[in-house]
């Protein structure tokens, strides 16, 4: 059964916003933590209406604030989580 037009539009807008946000997050994280890598990914890229968006962060050359490693964190989880 095809998705209703509203769902298709929501998926399109969400996907575009997610990739734009992911690109900006990666750039900002690398500026704040030189040598580090930040990323946003979709837990279910084929199901954008119910996907989660965990944020991953890893520092390689320098520790995070106050000398502590930057832990992986999950933000903006999908509905029901």
């Amino acid at each position: 059964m095809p998705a209703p037009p509203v769902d298709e539009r929501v998926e399109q807008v969400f996907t575009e916003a997610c990739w734009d946000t992911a690109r900006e997050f990666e750039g900002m994280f690398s500026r704040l933590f030189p040598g580090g890598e930040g990323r946003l990914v979709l837990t279910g890229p084929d199901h954008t209406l119910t996907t989660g968006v965990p944020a991953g962060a890893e520092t390689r050359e320098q520790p995070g604030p106050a000398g502590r490693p930057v832990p992986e964190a999950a933000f903006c989880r999908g509905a029901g989580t």
Side-chain angles (χ1 to χ4, degrees):
M1 182 162 118
V6 171
D7 285 353
E8 291 174 7
R9 181 68 179 142
V10 168
E11 287 185 53
Q12 176 190 3
V13 170
F14 176 79
T15 300
E16 291 172 4
C18 185
W19 295 129
D20 290 344
T21 303
R23 184 182 61 250
E24 294 298 321
F25 181 76
E26 290 171 11
M28 181 61 66
F29 191 91
S30 66
R31 283 191 293 278
L32 292 172
F33 302 97
E37 180 181 314
R39 65 198 160 282
L40 298 177
V41 295
L42 298 177
T43 59
D46 296 332
H47 306 284
T48 53
L49 295 178
T50 58
T51 190
V53 187
E58 183 177 322
T59 58
R60 292 191 181 91
E61 297 173 9
Q62 298 178 357
R68 288 178 245 136
V70 179
E72 186 168 315
F75 301 100
C76 303
R77 293 211 177 249
T81 55

